[in-house]
Each structure stands twice: as C-alpha cells, then as structure tokens.
Amino acid sequence: MSDLARPERPRGPATLGIHGNDHQKVPGEPVVPPIVQSATFHWATPDDGELLYGRHGNNPNIVMVGRKIAALEGTEDAVALSSGMGGIAMAFLALVEAGDHIVASSHLYGATQVLLTDELPRRGVETTFVSPEALDAWREAVRPNTRVFHIELPTNPTLRFFDPRPITALARLHGITVTCDATFASPVNFRSIDAGIDVVIHSATKYLGGHSDLIAGAVAGSHELVAEVTRLSRLYGPALDPNSAWLLDRGIRTLDVRVARHNANAEAIAEWFEKREEVSATLYPGLTSHPDHEIASELMRGFGGMVSIVLKGGAEAADRFMAALSVALAAPSLGGVETLVSQPRHTSHASLSIEQRHALGIPDGFVRISVGIENVEDLIADFEQALEALDS
Ligand SMILES: *Cc1c(COP(=O)(O)O)cnc(C)c1O
C-alpha cells in the first residue's frame, strides 16, 4: 500500500481491528472478505506477478490478517503463522545462526523454554537465562555473539510485568534485537514497540483469535525481519491455512471490546478474591498489592484478563475448587470469551518438582484463571460456591 493510501490520522485499536489501515471502497466488493480456500492460483509466467501458493503465506486471507496485526502493533509488517510456537521458532531462526547466543528471561512459556534449552543448542545456538528484573545480569550475560534478547510480558502464570525499557536500551548499545512474546497482553493492553521492542510475537490462539477455536501465531516487526520469517516459513512449512486466517481476522474485529471486558471482569474478580480468607495470594497487575503495579500502570493500557490465585488448602483445595466450578471451565489455554481455569502443576509446569515450582512462585494450590467475558456476577457466584465447597 502506498503512503498516500494511509489515513491522515492514526487510528485507534478498535478501528484498526475492524478495518486495519486500509480503506479501499470498491463498489460491489463484499464488506466481509471471502475465505479464499484455494491452495494455488492461476499463474503462467513471471509476467503474471507474484506466484501465490498456500505455503508461501501469500494467500489473500493470510496477507490481510498479517497487515491488520502490523497495524495494531504499529510495526512495518507482520506475518500470521500456523501456531504461536511456529512464530517463536521462525523468529529465532530468522535472527540467529550456529555460533550465536541469546539472552532470555527466566520467566518463559514452557515450550519456548524447552526450545531454547534443549533444541536450539543442537543447532549451535546457546541461551543464557536471566531474571528480567536484574539489569546487571543482562549486561553481564552479553557476549560478542549475542544476537537476541527475548522476554515475555506479562509472564505466565505469576503475571509479572517488568519494565522492558532498560533491556531495550542495553540491546541498542550492542546492536542486539529484542523479541517479546506479548501474548498475555494483546496489542490492546500493551504496544511493545512503544517500549523499544523490535519484534513482537503472539500466540494468536489466545486473545487475537479470542474464541478458542483456532491455533495461530504472529510475528510483527520490520519489513526485513518479516521477509526473513516468511522466507523460512516457506522452507519449514508453518503457513497458516486460509480458514484459520479468516477466523483470526474475524476474531480481531472484536479484539478491542473483548479485551476491555476481559480487563474489567478480571479486575473485579481479582478484587473479590483478594478479600477471601480461603485465598492466600491474588496475583493481578491491577491490584495495588502486585509487585509490578506501578510499572504496569505506566506502560499497560489495561491490566489484562488473567488472574492467578493461591488457595490456602494447597493442591487438594485447588483440585476440589476446579471440580466444583459450573460456569468456568477447567481447561488449559487462555484468551477466549469463556473463562478457563487451570493449575500450572498439572499443565505448563508439570515437568518441574514442587521445589522448582515454589522457587518460581507457583506453590501447590496455585490456580490460573483466564477470565472470560461472561457477566461478572455469574463468574463471582460460581467462584463463591466453589470456594464454599472447600469446607464441606
Ligand atoms: C500459548 C502460548 C504460546 C504457544 O502458542 P501456540 O499457539 O499454542 O503455539 C506461546 N507463548 C505464550 C505466552 C502462550 O501463552
């Protein structure tokens, strides 16, 4: 799209989610783009333009949703892929080669952690993990061959929100690229590039899709980075299928209103849990008791839809609490319209010992809640009866 076609004033996230930055008005065009369920497209010679093929990521549905994600993130470009892990893996492969080094936050999504710890070393890429709070540790971890700093905001499942700006400033000094998995924030609550982050990665399975009905990922950044991710995707194969791309676009149209409701519901629920005697800790960046409340207030436009609690009764109480729920559903994953509840000791952190989980701030009794957009009174009533079931 030429610069001339850009709207004169920057659009807000609700408008971008619906229209992106495009404003083509062609008589007879459908208001809702059709699903172009075709693997291949007529093409005879290079005179016919770009060769379109599903795996190349240039199916119209994939291109359209990528542009919309770039508009939301404020990046030059973005590409949607077949999963969040596809996005993370392709971004790392685009940025490092054998002999390179990554410094990563010690608070990471489980599969990302395994990718960096077990998988990339087999390809000649080493990672040093450091606490995202300890700037000195990041400085000390930098080597001449460090290419990437990788962080996650907010973190799973303790919902920490660290100030990324000291890390991005340090990266600038050394010519290091900063990648951020901002899945938990969504572009509505936190725009990574405003904090100096170069590459934003999403599991679009979560808030971007928003309905727990698709698996997708996205990588947003410079034209150059997105072109390299796209080139690698043509070789490794994690292209998104047109139907999921269409569903993702459909989900993004309501991202802004969904996230506003997730934020409001989560805030009310966190405040409610904080007063309950069965609960020893309630973790939500919007609570003044949260260690990162101040920085989250400064950098986040909303505190998100994720709330974690620790039940005094430990593992047994958590199992009983989950079994007693009737509106909220026990299931892994997050970011959908429905409230989902899970225990990290059974899901993301199942491979760790109790001691290791304790060290990460995840004692037994820890319950993670992806607060949905139901009526908050119904959710609170459900949580109340489930807490009361613990006494019986
Ligand atoms: C779910 C998730 C992923 C992985 O995404 P998939 O779409 O399941 O591949 C990565 N990072 C975070 C923070 C997630 O929540």
Side-chain angles (χ1 to χ4, degrees), residues 122-208:
R122 305 200 317 136
R123 324 280 163 202
V125 176
E126 271 187 60
T127 297
T128 306
F129 293 96
V130 293
S131 164
E133 288 177 292
L135 185 62
D136 284 345
W138 288 79
R139 203 177 284 122
E140 281 159 28
V142 173
R143 302 177 191 168
N145 58 342
T146 305
R147 297 283 172 264
V148 173
F149 283 174
H150 181 68
I151 59 172
E152 230 169 77
L153 285 173
T155 65
N156 176 41
T158 51
L159 308 176
R160 299 294 311 267
F161 189 92
F162 304 99
D163 189 350
R165 293 169 302 184
I167 292 172
T168 58
L170 176 66
R172 287 277 171 284
L173 287 179
H174 296 278
I176 292 167
T177 302
V178 182
T179 57
C180 177
D181 178 339
T183 298
F184 273 46
S186 90
V188 175
N189 282 334
F190 176 60
R191 252 210 358 189
S192 301
I193 62 156
D194 297 340
I197 287 156
D198 303 293
V199 181
V200 195
I201 308 168
H202 285 283
S203 168
T205 311
K206 318 294 169 53
Y207 288 104
L208 290 175

Side-chain angles (χ1 to χ4, degrees), residues 215-260:
I215 300 283
V219 181
S222 67
H223 284 308
E224 192 188 356
L225 182 275
V226 172
E228 183 61 5
V229 166
T230 304
R231 186 186 76 82
L232 290 167
S233 307
R234 290 176 183 190
L235 303 178
Y236 286 86
L240 189 60
D241 73 280
N243 197 63
S244 292
W246 186 92
L247 267 181
L248 177 55
D249 179 77
R250 159 75 172 252
I252 291 173
R253 285 162 194 262
T254 55
L255 177 69
D256 192 74
V257 284
R258 280 189 288 106
V259 169

Side-chain angles (χ1 to χ4, degrees), residues 60-140:
N61 296 112
I62 300 172
V63 172
M64 192 177 309
V65 76
R67 287 160 72 103
K68 198 174 263 192
I69 292 166
L72 279 165
E73 289 292 358
T75 53
E76 286 177 2
D77 207 350
V79 57
L81 296 167
S82 63
S83 71
M85 282 315 299
I88 291 166
M90 290 305 113
F92 288 156
L93 290 185
L95 291 165
V96 295
E97 57 188 35
D100 287 344
H101 175 244
I102 296 172
V103 184
S105 162
S106 48
H107 294 252
L108 290 184
Y109 181 73
T112 307
Q113 176 104 31
V114 175
L115 180 71
L116 291 170
T117 309
D118 298 344
E119 200 50 36
L120 288 186
R122 305 200 317 136
R123 324 280 163 202
V125 176
E126 271 187 60
T127 297
T128 306
F129 293 96
V130 293
S131 164
E133 288 177 292
L135 185 62
D136 284 345
W138 288 79
R139 203 177 284 122
E140 281 159 28

Side-chain angles (χ1 to χ4, degrees), residues 266-267 270-271 274-275 282-297 303:
E267 188 143 5
E271 282 166 7
E274 203 172 35
K275 297 193 196 94
T282 303
L283 310 179
Y284 185 66
L287 295 175
T288 51
S289 58
H290 190 279
D292 308 316
H293 178 66
E294 217 168 295
I295 189 67
S297 303
F303 296 110

